[in-house]
Amino acid sequence: MGLKNYFERVFKNLTALENKMQTGFRFSQSEINEIISTSKKENLQYFEHLAKMPELTMFDIGYLMSSVNLTIEKIEILKKASSLYKEDEFKAQGQTFSDFVFRIGANIDNLNMENLEVFKDLVQCKNELYDFTKALQNPIKYKHERKREMRFAFQNVFVE
């Protein structure tokens, strides 16, 4: 009887492990507990939406859940803004995706689908600003065509 009980217990544990693997979450239980413990109560309902975004890390989700008043509309804006992040464009200025998420979080109340391109341009500028309220409230005023003209740092150019 002991051997039969042993195999039943092994089979039950393997089945439980397989179920966890099939429905597993990308964060450990301790990470989830940490995020939830620091989150605003009204944001708890949005945890699953944020967790489904594979580009967000535990740290990013924790920041958004604790610092931003989330709504479904804001999560949609976050998804769209996240899709604008191109690593090769931002890494040149030393900006990571987490920096980008922090700037989204700081400006989420002023962001909408129409001013996301202006927001991207503002974030790409090498600066330490996180709050772009004035520029996002009137994006036409701050949007300029980029001109690629050759300019020299000196007045005269001598060619032999």
Side-chain angles (χ1 to χ4, degrees):
M1 276 305 231
L3 189 58
K4 181 182 176 189
N5 287 338
Y6 172 77
F7 281 118
E8 285 176 357
R9 192 168 57 190
V10 168
F11 181 71
K12 184 188 288 183
N13 288 339
L14 284 174
T15 304
L17 180 63
E18 184 180 3
N19 289 338
K20 284 182 185 177
M21 287 171 51
Q22 290 173 352
T23 61
F25 218 53
R26 65 185 177 120
F27 301 117
S28 69
Q29 189 61 46
S30 63
E31 290 172 331
I32 293 171
N33 290 341
E34 184 179 337
I35 292 170
I36 290 174
S37 69
T38 60
S39 297
K40 294 180 177 182
K41 289 180 184 176
E42 59 272 10
N43 287 343
L44 291 176
Q45 60 186 330
Y46 303 111
F47 176 71
E48 187 176 347
H49 294 283
L50 294 174
K52 288 181 180 178
M53 296 176 65
E55 62 273 4
L56 294 178
T57 65
M58 180 198 105
F59 187 68
D60 299 334
I61 293 173
Y63 165 73
L64 292 168
M65 295 279 292
S66 65
S67 301
V68 178
N69 295 323
L70 295 172
T71 63
I72 291 295
E73 292 80 23
K74 289 179 182 178
I75 290 175
E76 291 303 316
I77 290 169
L78 176 67
K79 286 178 184 176
K80 176 68 174 166
S82 297
S83 71
L84 295 175
Y85 180 83
K86 304 288 185 254
E87 189 170 346
D88 57 328
E89 294 176 10
F90 286 89
K91 285 283 186 178
Q93 286 105 17
Q95 297 181 32
T96 64
F97 183 73
S98 289
D99 293 329
F100 190 69
V101 170
F102 292 150
R103 290 183 178 188
I104 292 171
N107 295 286
I108 195 87
D109 292 329
N110 297 310
L111 288 175
N112 56 45
M113 294 298 184
E114 289 78 38
N115 66 8
L116 284 177
E117 285 295 326
V118 173
F119 174 74
K120 179 185 174 188
D121 290 342
L122 289 170
V123 172
Q124 283 182 318
C125 296
K126 195 167 195 162
N127 60 47
E128 298 301 318
L129 293 177
Y130 278 78
D131 188 3
F132 303 122
T133 303
K134 289 181 182 178
L136 292 173
Q137 288 174 347
N138 190 3
I140 301 299
K141 180 180 176 183
Y142 293 95
K143 186 154 178 122
H144 295 283
E145 290 280 328
R146 291 185 188 175
K147 294 181 181 176
R148 298 205 180 243
E149 295 177 4
M150 186 173 287
R151 296 184 183 195
F152 298 98
F154 40 85
Q155 189 170 8
N156 296 322
V157 177
F158 298 101
V159 180
E160 287 188 29

